Amino acid sequence: MLLFTYCRSAWVGIVVAFVVVAALQERKLLLVIAVLVASVWAWVPSVSDRLDDLDNVRVEGMGDPNSFAFRQRYWGEIFERYVDGVPLEQNLTGIGLGMVEETMPDHLEPHNVWVQVVSETGAIGTVMFVTFVVTIAVQLGRGLRRATDGVQRGLIVGVAAASANMLVQSVAQNLITEAVIWTYFATVLALGSMATMVQTRNLHLTEPADPDLRRRGAREPVPVLN
């Protein structure tokens, strides 16, 4: 079903997610992923055809050669209209979430989370969003360093893969206003956060081996996860 969507950013995102899982969990899977990608490229012509048009060059009067070229042009138009040369107040607060689609002549969403954040939420929203992304990365890094093998590490690796997928697709998709996607992702983040807290906030299944935790006065083991 993923192949049949013909969504290139989703294809790249899922490959990146698999690579993250392989790199963090079992590096031998990297070879399997390489073979799988090569097989799909060779035996599913619709996939290679969908990617081949990225090499097409723009011809004057012929329109955009592919959807990525269209998006690049559209991003420039959005910045020119809502970011460049506008009042300082607008650059601070943006034009409001969802307003690019409402006010642009073509009534299309930005197809890029970062363009959308900058133009619709301004500098304040951009700082908040970047802080959100960095916080997730720091939390996942902390959890991966201290996670024990098994369910806890598996959950955190899975969240890392999902986060990498979202980050990749953020440059070509309208993820900010997709409530269903954010509901799924928030659920995954909650599971990963729970698994991380077990290791970093004095909640342990076994006596903490980390000297730093002992110095901070970790409590007795509690059955947080079975």
Side-chain angles (χ1 to χ4, degrees):
M1 291 302 296
L2 181 66
L3 291 177
F4 295 153
T5 64
Y6 295 101
C7 181
R8 287 175 293 209
S9 61
W11 294 346
V12 176
I14 197 66
V15 170
V16 169
F18 286 154
V19 169
V20 169
V21 171
L24 297 177
Q25 198 76 3
E26 181 55 71
R27 293 188 178 181
K28 293 179 181 178
L29 291 176
L30 291 171
L31 178 60
V32 176
I33 295 170
V35 172
L36 179 62
V37 170
S39 299
V40 170
W41 179 274
W43 297 335
V44 185
S46 59
V47 172
S48 56
D49 291 344
R50 176 67 171 147
L51 296 174
D52 282 344
D53 72 345
L54 292 174
D55 293 333
N56 294 345
V57 296
R58 186 185 301 276
V59 177
E60 190 66 30
M62 297 295 292
D64 300 305
N66 53 64
S67 60
F68 184 65
F70 157 74
R71 292 181 185 185
Q72 288 180 302
R73 176 176 59 80
Y74 191 51
W75 298 336
E77 293 176 359
I78 292 172
F79 277 127
E80 183 178 356
R81 186 180 181 116
Y82 301 116
V83 179
D84 298 336
V86 301
L88 177 61
E89 180 182 352
Q90 182 171 318
N91 276 330
L92 286 176
T93 62
I95 62 173
L97 198 59
M99 291 308 295
V100 165
E101 182 181 11
E102 294 293 330
T103 57
M104 284 295 286
D106 293 333
H107 296 289
L108 297 175
E109 294 183 276
H111 294 289
N112 185 308
V113 167
W114 302 96
V115 172
Q116 185 172 13
V117 167
V118 171
S119 60
E120 295 186 347
T121 68
I124 296 174
T126 301
V127 170
M128 293 175 65
F129 188 74
V130 170
T131 301
F132 172 66
V133 172
V134 171
T135 300
I136 292 175
V138 171
Q139 183 80 338
L140 287 173
R142 182 182 301 156
L144 286 169
R145 288 194 301 272
R146 296 178 175 176
T148 57
D149 290 337
V151 174
Q152 289 171 309
R153 183 173 178 82
L155 280 173
I156 298 173
V157 169
V159 177
S163 300
N165 185 313
M166 291 282 283
L167 190 62
V168 168
Q169 293 201 65
S170 70
V171 300
Q173 296 291 344
N174 302 302
L175 300 180
I176 288 289
T177 50
E178 295 290 344
V180 173
I181 292 177
W182 279 105
T183 300
Y184 293 153
F185 189 49
T187 302
V188 171
L189 286 178
L191 291 173
S193 181
M194 178 188 67
T196 300
M197 288 169 62
V198 168
Q199 294 296 325
T200 61
R201 297 193 180 180
N202 298 332
L203 302 176
H204 298 274
L205 301 178
T206 59
E207 187 66 24
D210 191 332
D212 291 336
L213 292 175
R214 285 204 183 97
R215 283 196 294 270
R216 286 177 5 214
R219 295 179 299 203
E220 291 298 319
V222 292
V224 178
L225 295 177
N226 294 322

